[in-house]
Amino acid sequence: MTTRPIVDSPDVSFPEASTWGTNPRPELAVFDFDGTLVDQRGGWLLLQELFGTREQGKALTERYREDELTFAEWCDENAALLDARGVEKTHIDRAASAVKLTRGAGGLLETITDANVPFGTVSAGVTNLQDVLAEFEPAFVRGNEIRFDDAGAITGVDAGVGPNEKDDVLERICRDRGITTTDVFYVGDSHTDEEAFEVAGTSVLFDPDDRIDDGVSETVDAVVDTRDLRLVERLFVTAVGR
């Protein structure tokens, strides 16, 4: 990673493909979801705010940080709070329908598809909120799925991606596809992406969350400071042209 462009304008000039690092051409594009492909910063936070469990959710998060709860338990407890408020599948579906793509996301995903590079998401959030991506046909969606019974009542969560597990998840995905993490073009915005940045062949920090460590900008290939995925699209085009 010899060159680390910081992108803050649609008019920025990118390095030539031959000078922007020495990583392989991407064989897979992987995105964080919340705060990256969509404008909301957190799926669990969105549900807590929509359905009135925010304060209780904060208490659960403090217990998780104190190692009193595992991440799977934290997810289940948050789901139980929603269930206690009468939240059902139809309510979650309506919340998902209100999730909006970040500016430039559609064009970016179309460009990736046109380049014959599969893409998917790895999120510590709620996969039930990712319906907005369906038209782009992601190759995979990894995250935490709220379960329902036949009547639509919440029964729990299939916790698949914890906040510090994205490197392991990426490695399993790549192993299943017969590639390595050096073949991955990864884009994320928050502290939950730090492990993924470390193992991805090409990594882009997009519109950084306030909670992310300042030092992370030194470990990625590019930082996009403007909330516009058209800039990431240009980085991707440069990467596949290497």
Side-chain angles (χ1 to χ4, degrees):
M1 295 184 289
T2 58
T3 304
R4 188 173 298 107
I6 297 179
V7 183
D8 60 7
S9 168
D11 299 321
V12 70
S13 296
F14 289 101
E16 294 297 325
S18 61
T19 65
W20 186 38
T22 58
N23 300 324
R25 179 188 188 277
E27 299 294 332
L28 182 67
V30 182
F31 296 89
D32 172 51
F33 182 70
D34 300 309
T36 302
L37 287 178
V38 296
D39 285 327
Q40 70 190 25
R41 285 292 188 182
W44 288 110
L45 176 60
L46 174 66
L47 295 180
Q48 290 170 354
E49 291 180 340
L50 282 175
F51 301 114
T53 65
R54 182 68 183 124
E55 291 306 313
Q56 294 160 295
K58 287 180 181 179
L60 290 176
T61 297
E62 186 59 31
R63 292 176 60 195
Y64 169 69
R65 289 173 176 165
E66 295 295 327
D67 293 326
E68 296 177 11
L69 295 173
T70 66
F71 180 70
E73 290 169 337
W74 181 89
C75 290
D76 280 336
E77 292 288 345
N78 271 284
L81 291 176
L82 296 173
D83 181 56
R85 298 282 295 183
V87 177
E88 298 182 343
K89 185 177 185 301
T90 55
H91 301 107
I92 302 295
D93 290 344
R94 284 201 291 271
S97 68
V99 172
K100 302 302 180 186
L101 290 172
T102 300
R103 184 182 188 189
L108 168 60
L109 297 179
E110 289 172 0
T111 294
I112 290 171
T113 299
D114 289 345
N116 294 316
V117 175
F119 83 91
T121 61
V122 174
S123 171
V126 183
T127 56
N128 308 72
L129 299 178
Q130 296 196 30
D131 290 353
V132 69
L133 298 181
E135 66 176 291
F136 301 101
E137 300 181 345
F140 55 87
V141 172
R142 298 287 188 276
N144 307 293
E145 183 83 7
I146 299 175
R147 299 191 308 269
F148 307 94
D149 63 20
D150 292 341
I154 293 173
T155 60
V157 179
D158 290 327
V161 181
N164 305 310
E165 298 174 354
K166 290 191 177 183
D167 52 346
D168 294 334
V169 175
L170 268 185
E171 288 171 358
R172 290 196 296 270
I173 290 170
C174 289
R175 186 165 56 246
D176 290 345
R177 303 182 74 87
I179 61 176
T180 70
T181 56
T182 58
D183 298 311
V184 172
F185 181 93
Y186 186 88
V187 186
D189 75 305
S190 79
H191 63 289
T192 67
D193 298 301
E194 293 179 17
E195 286 78 10
F197 289 145
E198 292 176 0
V199 299
T202 304
S203 54
V204 180
L205 175 58
F206 175 71
D207 187 28
D209 184 292
D210 291 341
R211 295 171 294 175
I212 200 163
D213 191 296
D214 290 341
V216 173
S217 63
E218 298 301 318
T219 69
V220 297
D221 291 281
V223 179
V224 174
D225 281 337
T226 298
R227 189 158 189 77
D228 188 342
L229 284 169
R230 292 178 299 174
L231 306 180
V232 175
E233 181 181 358
R234 295 175 68 183
L235 288 170
F236 175 79
V237 169
T238 298
V240 295
R242 284 201 281 247

